[in-house]
């Protein structure tokens, strides 16, 4: 009986952790996507090529996202 209780308890912890992680990843993806879309449009409007814009915006949005995470961790 005790083994079943421990197993159910551990499964509940795993499920809660999975939902929490999914929510955090989803928020990060939305933030990155909005940054990337604006950056990519602005870059292409300046006359740059698609590949250049994709790489440049990926780097700058990833850096901005990491900076936000760092600030959230510090404060």
């Amino acid at each position: 009986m005790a083994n079943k209780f421990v197993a159910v308890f551990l499964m509940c912890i795993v499920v809660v952790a999975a939902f929490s992680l999914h929510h955090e990843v989803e928020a990060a993806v939305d933030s990155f996507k909005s940054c990337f879309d604006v950056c990519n449009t602005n870059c292409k409007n300046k006359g740059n090529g698609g590949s250049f814009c994709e790489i440049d915006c990926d780097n700058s949005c990833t850096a901005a996202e990491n900076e936000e995470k760092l600030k959230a961790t510090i404060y």
Side-chain angles (χ1 to χ4, degrees):
M1 179 73 176
N3 288 340
K4 289 181 183 180
F5 178 75
V6 171
V8 170
F9 180 71
L10 291 176
M11 287 302 295
C12 290
I13 291 174
V14 169
V15 169
V16 169
F19 281 119
S20 297
L21 180 62
H22 177 69
H23 180 68
E24 183 177 322
V25 168
E26 188 175 289
V29 168
D30 291 341
S31 173
F32 179 83
K33 184 176 180 345
S34 63
C35 173
F36 184 84
D37 289 342
V38 171
C39 178
N40 198 27
T41 302
N42 291 338
C43 183
K44 286 182 180 178
N45 288 341
K46 291 179 184 176
N48 296 315
S51 296
F52 171 80
C53 291
E54 188 171 329
I55 293 169
D56 185 51
C57 293
D58 184 44
N59 289 337
S60 63
C61 291
T62 300
E65 184 180 37
N66 289 339
E67 186 175 318
E68 287 177 18
K69 286 180 184 177
L70 181 63
K71 284 181 182 179
T73 305
I74 292 174
Y75 298 110

